[in-house]
């Protein structure tokens, strides 16, 4: 288990904050991140902020949600500058559109640093430090993120299929 560097309204509700209060804190956190120069947080659909911003708003440490990781040791955890894939970001709870946008922006940062390699559309790994300029923190590399995200998607698909079958069964009765 590792600590997720971000929190959502649902995470705050799970800690005992009210729905409106939680939404207000997320909105304040987003405004604070924009004030600090992270324009990524202007996105109205983004509903997640770094934990450290909430702690700055609250004035105390808050329990950070833990996320499960595989038991396998991942080389990206041991290197000085790990790389991230879209699967790492998906696992952390970012939506598909947000992940595409983040990867594009991170690649642009790398191009600005002189790494023309990132102009290639097929590049799927970006150094983690590039995300710090966008998000205000470096997301962790998740061991086996691709396999874990696939399992999560398969589980949701099976669950949705079961719901559809129950609905059809009720209509036929």
């Amino acid at each position: 288990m590792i600590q997720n560097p971000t929190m959502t309204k649902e995470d705050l509700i799970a800690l005992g904050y009210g729905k409106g209060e939680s939404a207000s804190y997320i909105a304040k956190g987003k405004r604070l991140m924009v004030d600090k120069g992270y324009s990524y947080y202007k996105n109205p659909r983004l509903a997640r902020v770094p934990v450290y911003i909430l702690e700055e708003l609250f004035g105390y440490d808050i329990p950070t949600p833990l996320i499960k990781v595989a038991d396998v040791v991942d080389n990206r955890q041991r290197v000085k500058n790990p790389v991230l894939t879209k699967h790492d970001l998906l696992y952390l709870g970012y939506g598909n559109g947000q992940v595409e946008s983040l990867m594009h922006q991170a690649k642009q940062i790398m191009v600005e640093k002189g790494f023309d390699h990132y102009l290639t559309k097929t590049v799927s790994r970006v150094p983690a430090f590039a995300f710090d300029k966008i998000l205000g923190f470096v997301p962790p590399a998740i061991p086996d993120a691709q396999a874990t995200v696939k399992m999560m998607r398969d589980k949701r698909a099976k669950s949705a299929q079961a719901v559809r079958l129950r609905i059809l069964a009720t209509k036929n009765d």
Side-chain angles (χ1 to χ4, degrees):
M1 300 283 244
I2 62 172
Q3 291 186 324
N4 192 333
T6 63
M7 290 187 91
T8 63
K9 177 179 89 168
E10 289 74 25
D11 295 326
L12 291 175
I13 291 170
L15 291 175
Y17 293 93
K19 288 180 183 179
E21 185 180 24
S22 298
S24 174
Y25 284 131
I26 295 297
K28 286 177 185 175
K30 288 174 61 174
R31 280 193 300 275
L32 191 55
M33 290 301 289
V34 169
D35 291 346
K36 290 181 180 240
Y38 298 101
S39 62
Y40 175 74
Y41 291 92
K42 288 181 182 178
N43 182 344
R45 293 184 308 269
L46 182 64
R48 129 183 345 271
V49 294
V51 172
Y52 73 84
I53 287 299
L54 293 172
E55 290 175 342
E56 193 175 304
L57 286 172
F58 298 155
Y60 58 87
D61 291 344
I62 53 177
T64 307
L66 295 175
I67 52 179
K68 295 179 184 175
V69 294
D71 292 334
V72 233
V73 176
D74 188 326
N75 186 43
R76 294 177 296 165
Q77 299 287 351
R78 294 186 296 217
V79 295
K80 184 177 179 185
N81 183 24
V83 296
L84 296 177
T85 67
K86 69 178 185 176
H87 301 288
D88 293 306
L89 298 170
L90 287 168
Y91 185 85
L92 291 172
Y94 291 93
N96 287 324
Q98 293 170 340
V99 168
E100 293 302 320
S101 173
L102 284 168
M103 291 298 285
H104 176 74
Q105 290 177 55
K107 287 179 185 181
Q108 285 301 116
I109 288 169
M110 294 306 294
V111 169
E112 289 167 9
K113 289 186 174 285
F115 297 98
D116 292 341
H117 164 71
Y118 292 96
L119 289 170
T120 309
K121 288 188 178 192
T122 57
V123 172
S124 62
R125 301 176 189 292
V126 181
F129 74 83
F131 294 93
D132 187 29
K133 204 170 184 182
I134 304 164
L135 296 171
F137 65 94
V138 177
I142 309 295
D144 291 334
Q146 185 171 2
T148 308
V149 167
K150 183 180 179 340
M151 285 187 335
M152 289 167 35
R153 285 181 174 165
D154 290 346
K155 186 177 178 180
R156 281 196 306 263
K158 286 178 185 175
S159 176
Q161 179 64 22
V163 168
R164 283 192 290 275
L165 291 174
R166 279 193 299 252
I167 291 170
L168 285 174
T170 355
K171 287 183 179 179
N172 291 336
D173 288 343

